[in-house]
Amino acid sequence: MPAGQSVAMNGTPSIALVGLGEVGTSFASALLDRGVELKVASRASPRAAASAKRLGIDVDEDVARAASAADVVLLTITGDGLRDVVARIAPVLRERAILADLTAADPPQVIAAADMLGANRARFVDVAIMGAVSLHGIRTPLLASGEMATDFAQTMNALGFSVSAREGSAVGDASSLKLLRSLFAKGLDALVVESMLAAEALGLREELIELLGDFDQRPLRDHIDMYLRTHPPHAGRRLVEMELAEAQLTSLGLKSLTTRATIDRYRHTTDLLRRESAPPPADAAVAVQWLLAAERAAADKNKS
């Protein structure tokens, strides 16, 4: 398909949705409200049956039959079923159709699934869900990668979705970015819980939240830049401070989990600094490159 040519260019696309869990049910409801020609496939389960009854639709247990006439096939199944479902859809996928993977499969599994389309691999789009579908429905931010990511975004955004396409991206990029986002966001989640537990135990939770108000004064990008820039030169001092914080935590009878991981990170960086002769950089972009090079050099030395 020529670049920029959407599958929806001649009208509203027909859509097949595979999987009727939380994501599939939410998307199906919104698509039906928009009058989209929709076929839904799902393995038999009490949850799928309940969702189908609530939506007033029939569900086909034959995935290939449901997908065979669709312009866009949305996979909203669990990641462990991805390759099996793609194997059944691949032989019947229409010439100009798009197969969009919205599972939470890891990048190698996503790439392997795309490879199953053979010469038609370009029709596979890797889509990462970047928010809570239960809160935002079809307006949940979606990130698409692959040769036809832009076509997919144009088609779905015309139906009310919120899809961003990465130009020049490959299948696996969106899934990788989702995991990287999880590394940051879920790590922050764990850190918030551990610090707030300690604050609650001391009766200081509201006071701590107020003291953290300075984080609201600058964009997140500025905070990330600051941490990268200052991490190498201040790792040693921060290590001592976090050891004291851990002592306070354990004195309250609380487990040191994310705090222990933070201590390990600072100790690891101080070890890297002792091995490297060059002084720590003072620029965020250079700092992260310096840290990555030092990590790789240390890993290579440990292998030898």
Side-chain angles (χ1 to χ4, degrees):
M1 182 183 297
Q5 182 177 336
S6 169
V7 296
M9 59 181 297
N10 294 320
T12 303
S14 59
I15 293 179
L17 190 150
V18 181
L20 206 53
E22 180 182 56
V23 174
T25 300
S26 177
F27 287 1
S29 176
L31 290 167
L32 290 169
D33 286 345
R34 285 161 173 74
V36 173
E37 180 186 342
L38 179 69
K39 292 187 181 297
V40 176
S42 175
R43 62 186 179 187
S45 72
R47 180 174 184 176
S51 293
K53 182 177 181 180
R54 186 164 64 252
L55 294 171
I57 60 173
D58 293 323
V59 175
D60 198 335
E61 291 184 33
D62 189 331
V63 171
R65 182 168 55 210
S68 61
D71 296 312
V72 178
V73 181
L74 304 176
L75 303 184
T76 59
I77 56 175
T78 56
D80 57 356
L82 175 61
R83 295 180 66 177
D84 176 62
V85 168
V86 172
R88 285 186 274 169
I89 293 174
V92 302
L93 195 64
R94 293 176 63 177
E95 182 183 355
R96 296 178 59 196
I98 287 177
L99 178 59
D101 168 32
L102 287 86
T103 71
D106 64 26
Q109 292 184 67
V110 173
I111 293 169
D115 290 341
M116 294 173 71
L117 295 186
N120 298 318
R121 189 181 190 280
R123 290 186 272 165
F124 191 101
V125 178
D126 174 18
V127 185
I129 301 174
M130 295 295 188
V133 173
S134 60
L135 293 177
H136 306 295
I138 65 168
R139 296 305 299 168
T140 304
L142 305 177
L143 177 65
S145 67
E147 292 182 45
M148 296 184 70
T150 299
D151 300 88
F152 176 74
Q154 291 174 351
T155 299
M156 302 310 293
N157 289 346
L159 297 174
F161 282 73
S162 181
V163 185
S164 298
R166 298 194 70 233
E167 293 287 347
S169 61
V171 167
D173 288 356
S175 297
S176 293
L177 281 166
K178 179 179 176 64
L179 290 180
L180 290 170
R181 186 181 187 276
S182 294
L183 186 66
F184 182 92
K186 303 307 187 291
L188 182 59
D189 173 12
L191 177 62
V192 166
V193 169
E194 191 155 302
S195 60
M196 291 302 153
L197 281 173
E200 184 70 16
L202 290 167
L204 296 172
R205 182 165 57 86
E206 289 302 324
E207 289 83 349
L208 176 58
I209 293 173
E210 185 175 347
L211 284 173
L212 292 170
D214 59 305
F215 283 87
D216 294 332
Q217 306 306 311
R218 299 290 291 270
L220 176 61
R221 180 180 293 273
D222 289 353
H223 290 289
I224 292 173
D225 182 276
M226 179 272 292
Y227 284 126
L228 291 174
R229 174 169 42 84
T230 63
H231 178 81
H234 295 292
R237 175 181 62 79
R238 290 172 180 170
L239 170 61
V240 174
E241 185 175 344
M242 289 308 297
E243 287 175 334
L244 294 174
E246 183 182 46
Q248 181 184 57
L249 189 71
T250 55
S251 73
L252 296 169
L254 299 172
K255 283 187 175 294
S256 173
L257 300 171
T258 55
T259 305
R260 171 47 49 182
T262 304
I263 289 171
D264 290 343
R265 174 70 259 178
Y266 285 132
R267 181 171 290 117
H268 182 62
T269 298
T270 56
D271 289 342
L272 293 177
L273 289 165
R274 282 194 289 269
R275 297 181 186 186
E276 299 294 323
S277 57
D283 173 83
V286 178
V288 72
Q289 293 168 9
W290 182 90
L291 280 166
L292 182 58
E295 291 271 4
R296 287 174 171 169
D300 290 340
K301 185 175 181 180
N302 290 336
K303 288 178 183 177
S304 59

